[in-house]
């Protein structure tokens, strides 16, 4: 027997569940995982950074920087905060507008499951799609349970490639390509950067050291903490610029944010005249980092011995340290996937395919990637809501 639904949603993650809560009519939401919202559960260290007070289109990367504007403007961070408040979920702002649950990310999953239940959506877990075909008035799908289901709308909400061990498959891109969509080249983003050779050896000794920096790559620049690891660099500043970094290109790190590096060294020359450069530098950067860098700065003897002509290149090195990563930690640890279904083929207001009516793309599978700090969930809520609204409006006709 074939069951008919108004909408089938593939993926019970953030975007799929939001869409299911708003699509109206009979909705089937499928996921091959055993539980819904597994990435929500592990996000934000288990407390889910569910949105950002400063969410705005300029905090998202896409080949078309205008694409995300409509959905983000129609379902905003304030709308999501309202929803969280209606469910009496306690939350707090951690830093830089980032909102986290006070108790657990599971509160957000429970909220979405309850919203879906209220909307009458049918959630099927541990269920995969085995075939999908276009019919004259919609879609016919077969499921791993052996059932055949049909629908008018089909929503691809199966996320990106990040963290394969949590069920990420890239299957959404295959569906998109099958129905004529272009895929903007995908790569891991919000990911630690790795280094090789001597640089990596040096970083090993610094593993665990964190320091505030301004990190720059391409057009991205972020003032936040940087962390040395055994394999390279991490911390929010580095995760942020990883989205802007292109393979083979250097990144630039200012180790003295908010300071004029030359003036800082000149003033250390006065205040720490009889001290070694590493000791003096430790006033401004962690001592282990100062010890590591001092021999590379060309400053011999004590601070008092350093003429301006020696301080200038040292200041340049501290204020604009250039490093070329050998790669990144990859999808294994990346928080998101950059690129995805090209926005050229998707209606920005409804998330519906321009070439295949009744096919929708929401969340991370689309070529829209947010900054670190709750922006990616906001995109999932906004795009899931936009598709849900559009499906409901069409159904009501
Ligand atoms: P999502 O990945 O959430 O959901 C896709 C669903 O589809 C999954 O349930 C998956 O099992 C299912 N699926 C995939 N292929 C399938 C198939 N073939 N058949 C059936 N089902 C399939 N963002 C943020 O804003 N704040 C934060 O705090 C964090 N923290 C964070 C931590 C970590 C460790 C990661 C990896 C990521 C984050 N993120 C984040 C990013 C955020 O999790 C991500 O952007 C959203 O979950 C994307 O939502 P989607 O619904 O698009 O995909």
């Amino acid at each position: 027997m074939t069951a008919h639904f108004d909408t089938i949603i593939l993926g019970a993650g953030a975007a799929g569940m939001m869409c299911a809560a708003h699509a109206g009519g009979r909705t089937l939401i499928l996921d091959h995982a055993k539980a819904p919202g597994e990435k929500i559960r592990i996000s934000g260290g288990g407390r889910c950074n569910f949105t950002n007070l400063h969410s705005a289109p300029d905090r998202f990367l896409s080949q078309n920087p205008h694409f995300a504007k409509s959905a983000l403007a129609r379902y905003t961070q304030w709308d999501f905060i309202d929803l969280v408040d209606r469910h009496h979920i306690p939350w707090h702002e951690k830093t830089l507008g980032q909102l986290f649950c006070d108790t657990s990310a599971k509160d957000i999953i429970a909220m979405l499951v309850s919203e879906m239940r209220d909307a009458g959506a049918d959630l099927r877990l541990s269920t995969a799609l085995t075939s999908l075909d276009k019919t004259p008035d919609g879609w016919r799908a077969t499921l791993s349970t052996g059932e055949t289901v049909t629908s008018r709308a089909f929503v691809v909400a199966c996320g990106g490639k990040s963290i394969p061990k949590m069920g990420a498959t890239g299957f959404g891109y295959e569906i998109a390509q099958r129905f004529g969509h272009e895929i903007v080249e995908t790569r891991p983003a919000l990911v630690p950067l790795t280094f090789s050779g001597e640089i990596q050896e040096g970083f090993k000794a610094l593993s665990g050291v964190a320091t505030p920096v301004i990190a720059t790559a391409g057009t991205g620049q972020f003032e936040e903490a940087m962390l040395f690891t055994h394999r390279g660099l991490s911390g929010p500043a580095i995760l942020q610029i990883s989205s802007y970094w292109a393979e083979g290109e250097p990144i630039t790190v200012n180790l003295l944010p908010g300071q004029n590096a030359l003036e800082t060294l000149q003033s250390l020359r006065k205040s720490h005249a009889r001290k070694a450069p590493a000791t003096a530098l430790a006033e401004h950067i962690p001592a282990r980092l100062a010890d590591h860098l001092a021999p590379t700065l060309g400053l011999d003897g004590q601070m008092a011995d350093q003429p301006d002509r020696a301080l200038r290149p040292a200041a340049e090195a501290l204020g604009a340290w250039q490093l070329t990563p050998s790669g990144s930690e990859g999808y294994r640890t990346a928080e998101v996937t950059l690129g995805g279904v090209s926005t050229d083929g998707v209606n920005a207001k409804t998330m519906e395919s321009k070439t295949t009516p009744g096919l929708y793309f929401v969340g991370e599978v689309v070529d829209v990637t947010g900054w670190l700090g709750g922006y990616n969930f906001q995109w999932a809520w906004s795009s899931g809501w936009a598709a849900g609204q559009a499906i409901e409006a069409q159904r009501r006709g």
Side-chain angles (χ1 to χ4, degrees), residues 60-68 184 338-339 341 343 366-369:
F60 294 82
L61 292 85
S62 170
Q63 276 204 343
N64 175 0
H66 303 293
F67 181 82
V184 174
L338 200 69
V341 177
T343 57
V366 182
D367 171 32
V368 173
T369 306

Side-chain angles (χ1 to χ4, degrees), residues 322-369:
Q322 295 244 334
L323 295 148
T324 303
S326 55
S328 81
E329 292 284 3
Y331 290 118
R332 192 177 56 83
T333 58
E335 271 200 18
V336 281
T337 304
L338 200 69
V341 177
S342 169
T343 57
D344 288 350
V346 181
N347 180 317
K349 199 165 168 224
T350 61
M351 301 294 135
E352 189 172 12
S353 162
K354 288 181 183 167
T355 50
T356 309
L359 181 62
Y360 295 78
F361 297 96
V362 296
E364 196 179 320
V365 75
V366 182
D367 171 32
V368 173
T369 306

Side-chain angles (χ1 to χ4, degrees), residues 10-16 30-33 39 42-44 48-49 127 157-159 163 166-167 169 171 334-336 362-365 374-377 380:
L10 186 66
L30 305 171
D31 205 299
H32 62 180
K39 273 200 191 157
I42 60 157
S43 67
C48 185
N49 177 193
T127 305
C158 40
I163 325 243
M166 294 202 68
T169 56
F171 186 52
E335 271 200 18
V336 281
V362 296
E364 196 179 320
V365 75
Y375 297 98
N376 285 295
F377 277 136

Side-chain angles (χ1 to χ4, degrees), residues 266-315:
Q266 286 167 333
S267 114
L268 286 173
R269 181 169 58 193
K270 277 199 204 125
S271 60
H272 291 65
R274 298 281 148 237
K275 295 273 164 45
T279 315
L281 269 177
E283 290 294 312
H284 294 278
I285 60 176
R288 271 164 72 196
L289 179 57
D291 282 342
H292 172 79
L293 283 177
T296 68
L297 295 176
L299 305 176
D300 297 321
Q302 300 176 338
M303 281 309 286
D305 307 330
Q306 314 303 326
D308 276 356
R309 69 169 188 285
L311 291 188
R312 260 188 218 101

Side-chain angles (χ1 to χ4, degrees), residues 3 47 52 57 101 106 133 135 189 193 205 281 319 374:
R47 297 245 167 117
N52 194 295
C101 295
K106 289 180 191 160
D133 293 296
T135 60
L193 297 175
L281 269 177

Side-chain angles (χ1 to χ4, degrees), residues 188-212:
L190 299 183
V191 65
L193 297 175
T194 54
F195 292 81
S196 54
E198 263 178 38
I199 304 181
Q200 189 205 351
E201 283 308 310
F203 286 177
K204 267 188 194 163
L206 292 171
S207 181
V209 171
T211 188

